[in-house]
């Protein structure tokens, strides 16, 4: 080809290249002007224009794009692929540009006659070659080989050994790649593969496996992506039923499906289920390097059940008529926490800093992990994965506080897994893919299903995101949906709200796009009898009409030990609060202004309290300057827009009268400039 030939002239080769890369088209769905590939014809080739389109991934392009998609090469390397396979005129180039040949694999027919070879070069690339035919042009022959195999018969690797083993009733192994097949052969197994790798298995290969006992070992591939722009969006790929596209694992399922009905027995041995540390793209050769033995592989194969087709799973939650509202159940809606946390959904939990949302969410998650009721409601017990993106390093103290509060053994084994380093759900898909892989590996080590994933918090999970920009929020939500769809578990996202605000911080889609939202807040008008804050959680939005459910709890400070300097370390644990069982109706009968002052005192102590200086009573835990109390009560008593002399005079009078009454009743102690609470209970202020 002339190097100045326009790229569109490559279109004349599209039909032949598609057949070489994809195999024979689907004859039933193809037409004169269009070739369809796949069982359902999801990939189409326009013969006239030389363009392809994948109706599943919504991507397409020209000849070079198809070669890039199927071989992983960029456009420049795709052009070279066309030259190597005889579609374009080879340019003269120094032999060293081919790279160093590091291995070659011979494919032979039933009589052990060579058909072709697969050659591996470094840098890593593969080419296929055959011996010259009488009619081959001399310029196509390089060092005794022709690097074009169109029209050559494709057969399984190590075919003579395969046929002999099947005839003798031996188990045969199908792997992905000649290297794996050779490595298994070295330790006494009969193994084979198909040329071209993933997606290149054909019915002609299946024909050799009549009455065979087959074990298929897939690679541990990560989820595939669409092509990068401009030919695609680079997004993670999913099957029509919502399953992620996993090239190696999907290839194994395709091979199993093709062999079913021809082979006597088919099994798919997924080594990743037995080797939690199996690396991405890992294979049986990696397993052997890590210490796998022939006896262990035999044992794993013997324990692998016969393959059965993966049942269809609707991507859109489809149900047949007879599956809707099964007798005895009002609906198919399932819960992780009954009426509060729905299964297979994303839930937004939000609240001010200090509202107890993280401690409260942790407490909910622990009820699920322990299989206990939560605020009297049933839970679906199972594995809980908690991603502590904001406070991972300090989480150990939360565990100790929970263990102490609930009197659990420190080394109790529970289905709870903590991630202490934050993933980035905004910058790219990389951390999402890694987190999915880690959760998949971890879930295999527990004997209960994964039911709940907690991500705490959104701001830590998405550094650089503009919370007020719908486009940024959509990027993160898309990755949350991918996580939720991958596992079918409930996913809780913890988020902040602006101080004094009534909705989640950021764009309105943070409320609109979640079917369930739960707000955490500090109860403003009540305190415990010891002056502690009361925290409240309220289901603000719930698809099943369960909104309005609320529960209250306190966060008592718990000593969890001492640091290396001998100083006390503390944390908190959520404890259910029931006002009806409290002492809030007993104690000093305060007026409304006196209760207002007490709330102001508690707020001031919480924010500005200090240990009592000598000679104040040592029994008092904290005291506060009266100026902070006065400012806190004024903020509750006088509206910001009513800064008049009359209003200030009313406030000064109310403050003095309430303070004097509470001092005389020994509810508060006063020694200028400090005020403190004596501990004497006040009615209607909590228990």
């Amino acid at each position: 080809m002339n190097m100045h030939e326009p790229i569109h002239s490559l279109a004349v080769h599209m039909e032949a290249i598609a057949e070489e890369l994809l195999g024979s088209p689907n004859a039933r769905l193809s037409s004169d002007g269009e070739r369809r590939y796949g069982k359902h014809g999801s990939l189409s080739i326009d013969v006239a224009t030389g363009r392809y389109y994948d109706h599943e991934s919504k991507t397409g392009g020209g000849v070079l794009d198809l070669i890039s998609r199927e071989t992983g090469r960029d456009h420049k390397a795709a052009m070279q692929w066309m030259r190597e396979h005889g579609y374009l005129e080879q340019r003269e180039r120094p032999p060293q540009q081919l790279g160093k040949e590091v291995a070659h694999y011979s494919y032979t027919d039933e009589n052990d006659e060579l058909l072709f070879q697969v050659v591996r070069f470094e840098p890593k690339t593969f080419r296929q070659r055959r011996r010259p035919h009488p009619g081959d042009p001399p310029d196509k022959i390089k060092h005794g080989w022709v690097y074009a195999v169109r029209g050559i018969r494709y057969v399984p690797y190590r075919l003579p050994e395969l046929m002999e083993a099947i005839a003798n009733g031996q188990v045969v192994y199908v792997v992905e790649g000649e290297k794996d097949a050779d490595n298994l052969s070295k330790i006494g197994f009969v193994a084979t593969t198909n040329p071209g790798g993933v997606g290149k298995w054909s019915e002609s290969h299946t024909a050799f496996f009549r009455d065979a006992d087959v074990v298929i070992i897939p690679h541990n591939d990560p989820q595939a992506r669409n092509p990068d722009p401009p030919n695609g969006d680079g997004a993670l790929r999913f099957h029509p039923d919502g399953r992620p596209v996993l090239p190696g694992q999907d290839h194994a399922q395709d091979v199993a499906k093709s062999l079913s009905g021809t082979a006597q027995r088919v099994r798919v041995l997924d080594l990743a289920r037995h080797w939690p540390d199996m690396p991405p793209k890992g294979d049986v050769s990696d397993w052997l390097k890590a210490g796998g033995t022939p006896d262990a592989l035999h044992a794993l194969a013997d324990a692998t059940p016969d393959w059965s087709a993966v049942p269809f799973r609707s991507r859109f939650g489809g149900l047949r008529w007879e599956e809707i509202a099964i007798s005895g159940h009002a609906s198919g809606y399932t819960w992780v926490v009954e009426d509060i946390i729905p299964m297979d959904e994303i839930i937004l939990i939000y609240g001010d800093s200090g509202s107890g949302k993280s401690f409260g969410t942790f407490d909910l998650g622990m009820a699920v992990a322990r299989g206990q009721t939560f605020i009297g409601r049933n839970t679906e017990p199972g594995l809980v994965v908690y991603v502590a993106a904001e406070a991972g390093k300090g989480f150990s103290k939360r565990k100790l506080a929970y263990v102490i509060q609930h009197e659990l053994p420190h080394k109790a084994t529970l289905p709870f897994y903590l991630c202490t380093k934050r993933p980035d759900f905004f910058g790219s898909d990389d951390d999402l893919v890694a987190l999915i892989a880690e959760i998949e590996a971890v879930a295999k080590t527990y004997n209960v299903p994964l039911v709940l994933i907690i991500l705490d918090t959104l701001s830590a999970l998405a550094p650089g995101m503009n919370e007020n920009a719908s486009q940024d929020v959509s990027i993160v939500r898309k990755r949350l949906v991918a996580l939720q769809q991958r596992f079918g578990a409930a996913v809780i996202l913890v988020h902040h709200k602006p101080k004094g605000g009534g909705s989640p911080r950021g764009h309105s889609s943070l409320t609109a796009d979640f079917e369930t939202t739960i707000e955490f807040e500090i109860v403003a008008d009540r305190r415990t009898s010891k002056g502690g804050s009361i925290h409240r959680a309220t289901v603000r939005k719930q698809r099943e009409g369960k909104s309005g459910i609320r529960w209250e709890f306190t966060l008592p400070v718990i000593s969890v030990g001492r640091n290396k300097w001998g100083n006390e370390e503390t944390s908190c644990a959520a404890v259910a609060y029931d006002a009806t069982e409290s002492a809030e109706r007993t104690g000093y009968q305060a007026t409304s202004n006196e209760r207002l002052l007490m709330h102001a005192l508690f707020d001031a102590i919480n924010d500005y309290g200090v240990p009592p200086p000598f000679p104040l009573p040592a029994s008092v835990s904290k005291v506060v300057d009266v100026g902070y109390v006065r400012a806190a009560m004024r903020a509750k008593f006088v509206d910001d827009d009513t800064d008049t002399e009359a209003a200030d005079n009313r406030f000064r009078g109310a403050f003095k009268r309430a303070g004097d009454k509470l001092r005389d009743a020994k509810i508060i102690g006063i020694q200028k400039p400090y005020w403190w609470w004596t501990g004497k209970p006040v009615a209607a202020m909590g228990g």
Side-chain angles (χ1 to χ4, degrees):
M1 166 183 167
N2 187 309
M3 288 307 294
H4 298 289
E5 182 179 357
I7 291 296
H8 64 73
S9 66
L10 301 178
V12 298
H13 301 294
M14 175 60 98
E15 184 176 7
I17 288 175
E19 191 160 342
E20 180 165 345
L21 290 172
L22 306 172
S24 300
N26 187 321
R28 182 175 60 86
L29 299 176
S30 297
S31 62
D32 289 342
E34 182 183 45
R35 303 291 181 265
R36 288 280 189 159
Y37 287 87
K39 183 177 180 180
H40 302 291
S42 59
L43 190 144
S44 64
I45 301 290
D46 188 314
V47 176
T49 64
R51 307 283 294 179
Y52 86 91
Y53 186 74
D54 187 330
H55 294 269
E56 285 189 10
S57 64
K58 310 298 183 189
T59 58
V63 173
L64 297 181
D65 298 315
L66 181 64
I67 296 172
S68 296
R69 166 190 159 121
E70 296 301 315
T71 67
R73 302 181 177 207
D74 59 22
H75 279 193
K76 182 178 179 181
M79 290 285 287
Q80 183 57 34
W81 182 94
M82 293 183 68
R83 296 187 184 95
E84 293 166 358
H85 288 74
Y87 294 101
L88 302 176
E89 183 178 323
Q90 277 277 14
R91 289 184 299 167
E92 290 299 324
R93 61 179 182 174
Q96 62 269 24
Q97 290 189 10
L98 289 172
K100 179 182 179 182
E101 179 180 329
V102 294
H104 63 263
Y105 309 98
S106 297
Y107 280 76
T108 62
D109 65 13
E110 296 88 337
N111 300 313
D112 211 19
E113 294 292 331
L114 180 67
L115 294 171
F116 62 95
Q117 285 186 343
V118 172
V119 190
R120 176 173 175 171
F121 295 91
E122 288 295 345
K124 187 177 180 181
T125 185
F126 292 89
R127 290 172 59 183
Q128 296 177 0
R129 67 189 183 190
R130 59 171 172 81
R131 288 300 186 186
H133 294 161
D136 287 329
D139 62 339
K140 296 294 184 183
I141 303 172
K142 304 294 183 183
H143 307 294
W145 294 97
V146 175
Y147 286 85
V149 293
R150 275 196 296 170
I152 292 295
R153 181 183 174 214
Y154 274 13
V155 298
Y157 185 50
R158 307 180 74 100
L159 181 59
E161 298 173 37
L162 174 69
M163 295 178 67
E164 182 180 353
I166 293 173
N168 292 331
Q170 292 179 253
V171 176
V172 297
Y173 289 74
V174 175
V175 292
E176 185 189 320
E178 296 86 2
K179 176 193 70 174
D180 291 344
D182 285 352
N183 285 337
L184 286 180
S185 179
K186 290 175 184 176
I187 58 173
F189 292 86
V190 177
T192 186
T193 190
N194 61 281
V198 168
K200 302 302 186 294
W201 186 274
S202 71
E203 294 301 320
S204 64
H205 298 125
T206 296
F208 289 101
F209 289 82
R210 178 72 57 187
D211 298 327
D213 186 349
V214 185
V215 175
I216 305 166
I217 304 180
H219 281 193
N220 184 38
D221 285 340
Q223 189 171 358
R225 298 175 178 276
N226 291 331
D228 289 329
N231 301 310
D233 58 6
L236 294 170
R237 293 176 60 189
F238 293 87
H239 290 287
D241 63 358
R243 292 177 296 113
V245 173
L246 305 170
Q249 298 89 323
D250 292 345
H251 174 71
Q253 293 295 322
D254 291 341
V255 173
K257 185 176 181 180
S258 179
L259 292 174
S260 180
T262 298
Q264 183 183 69
R265 186 182 186 191
V266 180
R267 289 167 282 174
V268 176
L269 170 54
D270 184 357
L271 289 175
R273 293 184 177 276
H274 307 280
W275 183 23
D277 295 329
M278 190 172 191
K281 298 187 177 182
D283 52 33
V284 68
S285 296
D286 295 318
W287 181 81
L288 292 171
K289 286 180 183 177
T293 64
D295 287 344
L297 189 58
H298 280 301
L300 291 175
D302 289 343
T304 300
D306 289 0
W307 177 86
S308 60
V310 177
F312 174 77
R313 176 189 172 196
S314 169
R315 187 172 183 176
F316 305 102
L319 292 173
R320 301 178 189 275
W321 172 260
E322 62 272 17
E323 297 172 321
I324 304 171
I326 300 171
S327 177
H329 298 276
S331 73
Y333 207 72
T334 56
W335 302 94
V336 175
V337 178
E338 186 179 12
D339 296 337
I340 297 175
I341 305 296
M343 185 74 82
D344 200 10
E345 197 170 288
I346 304 173
I347 300 93
L348 182 69
I349 284 178
Y350 64 98
D352 289 331
S353 295
S355 62
K357 57 186 180 295
S358 291
F359 282 103
T361 304
F362 171 51
D363 189 58
L364 181 151
M366 287 304 300
V368 172
R370 297 175 65 193
Q372 296 190 333
T373 59
F374 179 75
I375 64 166
R377 286 171 163 80
N378 297 311
T379 63
E380 183 67 34
L383 172 62
V384 176
V385 174
Y386 198 117
V387 181
E390 192 169 70
K393 291 183 178 179
F395 207 91
S396 58
K397 293 200 296 183
R398 295 189 187 184
K399 175 198 170 176
L400 291 174
Y402 185 92
V403 165
I404 293 168
Q405 177 64 38
H406 293 271
E407 299 181 344
L408 294 176
H410 280 64
K411 294 186 177 180
T413 301
L414 293 172
F416 184 96
Y417 184 79
L418 175 70
C419 295
T420 59
K421 294 183 179 179
R422 68 181 187 186
D424 182 355
F425 269 43
F426 180 64
S428 72
D429 283 331
D430 292 347
D431 280 4
L432 168 65
V433 173
L435 181 62
I436 286 175
E438 179 163 336
I439 294 175
E440 285 177 333
V442 167
K444 293 172 185 175
T445 67
Y446 289 89
N447 59 3
V448 294
L450 172 67
V451 295
L452 179 61
I453 301 171
I454 299 171
L455 306 171
D456 186 3
T457 61
L458 173 60
S459 58
L461 199 69
M465 180 185 74
N466 181 353
E467 293 178 355
N468 294 303
S470 62
Q471 184 177 2
D472 285 13
V473 172
S474 295
I475 290 172
V476 175
R477 176 164 171 77
K478 183 178 180 181
R479 291 176 179 137
L480 291 172
V481 170
L483 180 68
Q484 174 256 319
Q485 289 183 341
R486 175 64 190 90
F487 296 106
V491 175
I492 290 178
L493 178 65
V494 181
H495 185 38
H496 298 290
K497 73 174 185 180
K499 190 170 184 179
S503 59
R505 191 175 69 194
H507 194 266
S508 60
S509 61
L510 282 168
T511 299
D513 287 350
F514 293 89
E515 298 288 354
T516 299
T517 62
I518 302 173
E519 181 182 14
F520 278 70
E521 57 190 333
I522 296 177
V523 178
D525 57 350
R526 289 186 290 129
R527 294 271 183 168
T528 68
S529 61
K530 295 182 179 180
S533 296
I534 301 169
H535 302 260
R536 178 189 295 148
T538 306
V539 179
R540 295 297 184 192
K541 181 182 175 185
Q542 173 58 256
R543 181 170 62 185
E544 288 298 291
K546 306 291 183 179
S547 58
I549 293 175
R550 63 172 53 182
W551 62 97
E552 294 181 343
F553 60 96
T554 60
L555 291 174
V557 176
I558 297 174
S559 176
V560 297
R562 296 189 178 277
N563 61 24
K564 67 179 182 180
W565 295 286
N567 295 321
E568 185 180 39
E569 292 280 359
T570 63
S571 186
C572 297
V575 175
Y577 176 79
D578 187 348
T580 62
E581 297 177 2
S582 71
E584 67 175 354
R585 297 188 182 277
T586 62
Y588 176 74
Q589 299 297 313
T591 66
S592 59
N593 281 344
E594 289 165 4
R595 287 198 301 273
L596 198 64
L597 188 148
M598 287 302 297
H599 283 299
L601 174 62
F602 291 142
D603 288 342
I605 288 175
N606 281 341
D607 293 339
Y608 306 106
V610 297
F614 183 82
L616 271 61
S619 59
V620 178
S621 60
K622 282 188 177 182
V623 299
V624 67
D625 189 293
V626 66
Y628 294 118
V629 183
R630 183 180 292 107
M633 182 171 173
R634 187 186 185 285
K636 298 174 185 294
F637 191 92
V638 180
D639 292 336
D640 289 339
D641 57 354
T642 316
D643 191 12
T644 65
E645 183 177 351
D648 279 333
N649 287 336
R650 286 196 302 273
F651 162 69
R652 283 192 289 271
F655 182 78
K656 184 177 187 312
R657 286 190 296 273
D660 290 346
K661 286 287 189 71
L662 291 170
R663 179 200 58 204
D664 294 344
K666 294 184 171 46
I667 303 299
I668 63 173
I670 297 177
Q671 185 166 324
K672 292 183 179 180
Y674 297 110
W675 283 27
W676 65 91
W677 177 50
T678 64
K680 187 174 180 180
V682 177
M685 290 203 65

